[in-house]
Amino acid sequence: MDFKSIKEIKTHLLKRKISIFELNEFFIDKIKKSKINAFIFFDEDLIRKRCKELDSIKNDLPLKGIPIGVKDLFCTKGIKTTAGSKILQNFVPTYESFVTNKLNNSGSVMIGKTNLDEFAMGSSTTTSYYGDTINPIATDKNLVPGGSSGGSAAAVSANLCLGATGTDTGGSIRQPASFCGVVGIKPTYGLCSRWGIIAFASSLDQAGIFSNNVEDASILLKEIAGYDKNDSTSSDITIPNYFKKINENIEGKVIGIPKEYDLPNIPDEIKIVWEKARKKLEKGGAKIINISLKHTKYALPTYYIIAPAEASSNLARYDGVRYGYRSKSQNNLEEMYESTRSEGFGNEVKRRILIGTYVLSAGYYDAYYIKAQKVRKLISNDFNDAFKECDAILTPTTPSPAFQIGQKEDDPIKMYLNDIFTVPASLAGIPGISIPFGKSKDNLPLGIQILSKHFNEQVLFDLGLFLEKNNE
Ligand code: GLN
């Protein structure tokens, strides 16, 4: 029996070839034996209790019994939620996030809380207070799983669960999906509610899904999407049945290749795979056209103004007063704030708070923050214009395969460059998927990214399924 496909497991469960208990014991056992530090929280008794509860429900549910990992950025009622930070090491939410609540109502089993870069800031899952996650693809090579949702990507890749949630602010689902050889989708901003997700950069944060294949991603996305009155940016659209509608016949689809993504310093192994995907799509009947996204080169600097600005504001709440870590060294209130924040946050988070505070300060607000907002609009307009000519855009997901743990730690800019292909879509709020496609020269997985206009996740699944089936 294949333990990698939700679609298949669902039929096995329905035909009673396997029970919910057996299925979850398989994953409990695998998690206990695994050595990649994919989970921050894992409680086997809680899983068994949940299985019992589900077993007593007689009617079928869309994800009944399916083990799902949850990024430890989603608040889970009564279960510690750390955001990978020391400052939230003892934080137990009193409520459930919208997305995980939906997953629970769909009958899934929350198999554990997955590791991440502290407050989802990073591309390596090496800034977590709870240790590094190791990429399961080649454990002897000590590679990063990508980040920030590295624990989720690694858990799915190592077959420790059948799917996992992630969040993507600038690439945190697509980049780790690419590094770990799994499917990762960042939906349109507003498709999945942010309520109960610990905020990083609110105008960019978006929940999404990791899975072993495209069809599973289409099944899972439907379960986490939907309108929520508690999130003022949540969209009130009818959620399509992506899985039912999925169609790998791509004939006549117009695919745009943005010339600005063809950067001179991108390694050949990435360009070769990009070219290969292009040819496959063409062979399948798609029409390939060249497009221009003129302002692409400003995307990374724009992101690294807007995201830290919002982060500095969102993270002001961690002051040691209401919840979370409080420093013991304190003689007065001011000192308490200071020592709590300097002891509770790691270096990358501090760096973002400093940048964000700087670009929002009175003398620099117009020069940096307002300017970045204007450029963001131009980037977004580029995409709108492009989608007048094409149905989807094809790019590499990352400029390299997974790198070694510790490799880019000395220079934050090197780390930020990981997001060069993912950040533009985040700024525009459009959806993007990363599909495992091809291999690097060292036989590591690579990802191909497909982008579409707002709320056209269906075309991502359609083209994704085609590439998945044509990835020899
Ligand atoms: N790597 C990017 C950053 O560090 C994106 C993170 C994310 O999408 N959460 O900000």
Side-chain angles (χ1 to χ4, degrees):
M1 194 175 287
D2 178 12
F3 279 89
K4 287 209 147 178
S5 150
I6 294 177
K7 184 180 130 186
E8 275 177 31
I9 296 278
K10 270 177 61 146
T11 45
H12 293 323
L13 283 168
L14 273 176
K15 289 184 185 154
R16 301 195 180 277
K17 282 195 182 152
I18 187 173
S19 74
I20 289 176
F21 297 98
E22 286 163 338
L23 176 68
N24 283 278
E25 286 302 332
F26 170 85
F27 287 100
I28 289 174
D29 189 51
K30 286 209 74 171
I31 293 175
K32 280 164 73 176
K33 286 184 184 144
S34 91
K35 294 193 172 69
I36 57 168
N37 195 32
F39 290 93
I40 293 177
F41 173 89
F42 165 69
D43 179 343
E44 47 187 306
D45 293 334
L46 207 66
I47 298 169
R48 293 192 181 106
K49 216 173 116 195
R50 173 70 172 153
C51 290
K52 258 194 203 133
E53 184 188 18
L54 288 165
D55 194 53
S56 69
I57 301 172
K58 288 297 157 242
N59 52 328
D60 186 33
L61 295 165
L63 297 176
K64 195 171 178 182
I66 303 293
I68 300 288
V70 170
K71 185 179 186 179
D72 204 19
L73 198 65
F74 291 80
C75 286
T76 40
K77 191 176 175 182
I79 295 173
K80 204 173 64 161
T81 300
T82 68
S85 183
K86 178 181 177 182
I87 216 157
L88 287 176
Q89 63 183 345
N90 294 318
F91 173 56
V92 179
T94 52
Y95 63 98
E96 189 77 25
S97 83
F98 179 87
V99 162
T100 50
N101 189 39
K102 282 207 88 180
L103 281 172
N104 292 341
N105 291 340
S106 300
S108 71
V109 176
M110 206 282 282
I111 199 97
K113 304 287 298 279
T114 61
N115 202 6
L116 68 157
D117 280 303
E118 187 179 3
F119 282 100
M121 298 170 191
S123 306
S124 55
T125 316
T126 55
T127 69
S128 168
Y129 181 65
Y130 306 92
D132 303 343
T133 295
I134 297 163
N135 191 322
I137 292 288
T139 42
D140 55 317
K141 290 193 176 142
N142 214 28
L143 303 173
V144 301
S148 65
S149 318
S152 287
V156 172
S157 172
N159 200 209
L160 307 181
C161 49
L162 285 168
T165 69
T167 62
D168 189 313
T169 303
S172 276
I173 291 176
R174 291 160 286 162
Q175 186 254 16
S178 166
F179 280 13
C180 292
V182 296
V183 172
I185 179 160
K186 176 202 98 79
T188 308
Y189 181 81
L191 189 79
C192 305
S193 166
R194 287 179 294 112
W195 197 73
I197 299 174
I198 293 173
F200 163 14
S202 308
S203 77
L204 297 154
D205 295 344
Q206 181 55 209
I209 285 298
F210 293 95
S211 62
N212 285 307
N213 58 66
V214 173
E215 285 185 313
D216 283 1
S218 75
I219 293 172
L220 291 173
L221 182 62
K222 181 173 182 294
E223 298 310 320
I224 67 162
Y227 174 69
D228 174 16
K229 64 173 184 350
N230 289 325
D231 174 358
S232 59
T233 58
S234 164
S235 295
D236 193 2
I237 62 151
T238 316
I239 308 300
N241 191 332
Y242 306 110
F243 173 68
K244 258 205 176 133
K245 289 189 172 165
I246 204 162
N247 181 1
E248 68 199 82
N249 179 357
I250 59 159
E251 234 176 281
K253 289 266 183 315
V254 183
I255 315 288
I257 308 291
K259 66 167 187 263
E260 290 79 4
Y261 281 57
D262 194 359
L263 300 168
N265 48 352
I266 299 301
D268 280 350
E269 55 188 350
I270 302 291
K271 294 194 183 190
I272 291 167
V273 161
W274 190 16
E275 175 68 29
K276 212 160 141 194
R278 217 177 311 180
K279 290 212 166 115
K280 289 273 168 157
L281 289 168
E282 206 163 21
K283 240 178 123 186
K287 186 176 166 212
I288 309 291
I289 62 166
N290 291 320
I291 58 162
S292 170
L293 299 165
K294 285 198 295 290
H295 300 91
T296 298
K297 65 169 183 267
Y298 303 117
L300 209 58
T302 302
Y303 173 85
Y304 276 98
I305 289 172
I306 293 174
E310 294 184 16
S312 71
S313 159
N314 275 328
L315 270 59
R317 73 191 70 173
Y318 306 103
D319 55 7
V321 176
R322 281 158 300 180
Y323 50 80
Y325 174 79
R326 178 185 295 176
S327 167
K328 298 217 169 25
S329 52
Q330 40 174 296
N331 294 313
N332 55 49
L333 186 64
E334 193 112 338
E335 246 181 66
M336 194 279 286
Y337 289 149
E338 248 179 54
S339 46
T340 294
R341 288 168 70 81
S342 67
E343 289 164 26
F345 290 133
N347 285 343
E348 185 56 33
V349 173
K350 284 181 197 160
R351 182 179 295 122
R352 308 274 178 124
I353 293 174
L354 288 173
I355 299 171
T357 308
Y358 178 80
V359 299
L360 289 177
S361 60
Y364 298 101
Y365 185 80
D366 289 339
Y368 291 106
Y369 185 69
I370 294 292
K371 185 88 173 192
Q373 292 290 17
K374 289 180 179 163
V375 180
R376 181 179 188 174
K377 182 73 186 148
L378 295 175
I379 291 167
S380 183
N381 289 346
D382 282 353
F383 279 109
N384 290 341
D385 288 344
F387 289 125
K388 286 180 191 147
E389 292 177 68
C390 61
D391 301 302
I393 294 173
L394 185 80
T395 82
T397 308
T398 55
S400 77
F403 49 87
Q404 240 172 359
I405 292 180
Q407 200 189 323
K408 299 189 186 206
E409 234 95 298
D410 54 327
D411 181 357
I413 304 286
K414 273 192 201 150
M415 196 64 96
Y416 298 170
L417 281 167
N418 266 285
D419 306 322
I420 194 131
F421 297 139
T422 49
V423 147
S426 301
L427 290 167
I430 59 170
I433 197 168
S434 179
I435 310 285
F437 192 83
K439 287 274 160 77
S440 76
K441 56 182 188 319
D442 295 330
N443 210 29
L444 295 173
L446 292 173
I448 197 88
Q449 177 179 237
I450 313 167
L451 307 172
S452 76
K453 66 178 175 201
H454 295 98
F455 301 110
N456 194 1
E457 278 75 8
Q458 191 67 55
V459 77
L460 304 184
F461 292 129
D462 294 348
L463 293 164
L465 185 63
F466 174 85
L467 285 177
E468 183 176 87
K469 293 201 172 168
N470 291 279
N471 177 21
E472 70 336 355

